[in-house]
């Protein structure tokens, strides 16, 4: 059986591009994906607490697990190596499309897997470091980071006037019109009102 695994970090993200890549690969290989497993979970969460862990436990010897890249399995080298070890121990084959990596139970594929996992972790660390440096540069240049100034006062004002705002809404005045008077977006006003309930 051929299983496809898709993971995104947050519920707001879409796995559609991963699914497209896997379908393209399956078409070129002239194979059919037997089962799709998708989840929205941080790669830092143990695979045993994710759908991925349940999937690997359910798979049989010679089943194939396909994902777009090795970093979809986990966020650090040790976690990825542990997953690869579980697959190898169970005789489960693994293919990652972007890395063009195939896991077989031999020393060469384990060495290559180690190199891919290490490279993925180094890349994530570099991205994190660059982000921190960019934020520090912006702060040093006098750019204010975080919530815009005054937004807390606006929320306080909305909550203070909540009763009046609810009466105006009940009388038919639009949320958009009221939010403009407070200098905030209508969805922000709605959020403030909800938090004050």
């Amino acid at each position: 059986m051929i299983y496809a695994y898709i993971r995104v970090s947050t519920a707001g993200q879409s796995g559609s591009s991963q699914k497209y890549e896997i379908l393209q690969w399956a078409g070129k290989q002239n194979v059919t994906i037997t089962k799709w497993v998708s989840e929205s979970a941080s790669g830092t969460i143990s695979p045993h607490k994710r759908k991925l862990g349940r999937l690997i436990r359910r798979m049989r010897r010679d089943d194939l697990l396909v994902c777009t890249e090795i970093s979809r399995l986990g966020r650090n080298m040790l976690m990825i190596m542990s997953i690869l070890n579980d697959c190898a121990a169970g005789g489960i084959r693994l293919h990652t499309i972007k890395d063009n990596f195939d896991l077989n139970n031999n020393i060469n594929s384990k060495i290559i897997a180690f190199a891919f996992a290490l490279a993925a972790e180094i890349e994530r660390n570099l991205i994190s470091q660059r982000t921190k440096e960019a934020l520090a540069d912006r702060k040093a240049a006098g750019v204010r980071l975080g919530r815009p100034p005054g937004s807390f006062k606006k929320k306080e004002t909305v909550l203070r006037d909540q009763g009046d705002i609810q009466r105006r809404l009940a009388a038919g005045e639009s949320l958009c019109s009221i939010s403009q008077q407070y200098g905030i977006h209508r969805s922000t006003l709605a959020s403030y009102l909800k938090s004050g309930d």
Side-chain angles (χ1 to χ4, degrees):
M1 294 181 74
I2 301 175
Y3 295 83
Y5 176 69
I6 293 171
R7 181 184 65 80
V8 293
S9 298
T10 63
Q13 294 175 317
S14 166
S16 58
S17 62
Q18 291 178 54
K19 185 169 187 176
Y20 175 78
E21 279 186 60
I22 293 171
L23 285 171
Q24 290 288 101
W25 173 85
K28 286 176 187 170
Q29 301 300 314
N30 199 26
V31 296
T32 303
I33 303 297
T34 315
K35 183 167 177 60
W36 293 85
V37 175
S38 299
E39 66 180 330
S40 169
S42 167
T44 58
I45 296 171
S46 165
H48 302 294
K49 295 179 181 176
R50 291 191 270 139
K51 289 181 183 178
L52 175 62
R54 291 194 294 276
L55 172 61
I56 291 171
R57 287 192 295 274
R58 191 171 62 232
M59 290 175 74
R60 304 276 182 240
R61 182 169 293 279
D62 291 327
D63 282 350
L64 175 63
L65 177 61
V66 180
C67 60
T68 56
E69 54 192 312
I70 208 161
S71 63
R72 294 296 94 206
L73 300 176
R75 294 287 288 171
N76 65 58
M77 182 182 61
L78 290 176
M79 184 184 292
I80 293 171
M81 294 308 296
S82 170
I83 293 165
L84 295 176
N85 188 56
D86 289 347
C87 289
I92 297 165
R93 296 175 298 135
L94 172 74
H95 178 75
T96 62
I97 296 168
K98 287 182 181 174
D99 311 315
N100 196 26
F101 168 72
D102 290 295
L103 174 69
N104 299 306
N105 198 10
N106 62 48
I107 191 68
N108 288 343
S109 65
K110 288 177 182 177
I111 290 168
I112 293 167
F114 176 82
F116 277 133
L118 182 59
E121 183 170 4
I122 289 170
E123 183 180 3
R124 279 192 301 276
N125 289 340
L126 288 173
I127 290 169
S128 173
Q129 187 60 37
R130 284 195 297 267
T131 303
K132 287 175 185 171
E133 287 171 1
L135 289 172
D137 287 347
R138 292 187 71 193
K139 192 172 182 179
V143 176
R144 184 184 286 263
L145 305 175
R147 187 185 290 266
S151 58
F152 182 74
K153 285 198 176 294
K154 288 180 183 177
K155 183 174 183 177
E156 265 187 343
T157 305
V158 167
L159 293 178
R160 186 193 65 221
D161 298 347
Q162 187 171 4
D164 181 50
I165 292 170
Q166 295 291 5
R167 282 189 290 278
R168 289 165 64 186
L169 287 169
E173 192 171 344
S174 75
L175 192 66
C176 188
S177 166
I178 297 170
S179 66
Q180 285 174 350
Q181 293 167 20
Y182 284 93
I184 56 177
H185 192 273
R186 66 180 179 277
S187 61
T188 305
L189 176 60
S191 171
Y192 287 172
L193 292 172
K194 192 173 181 182
S195 72
D197 288 343

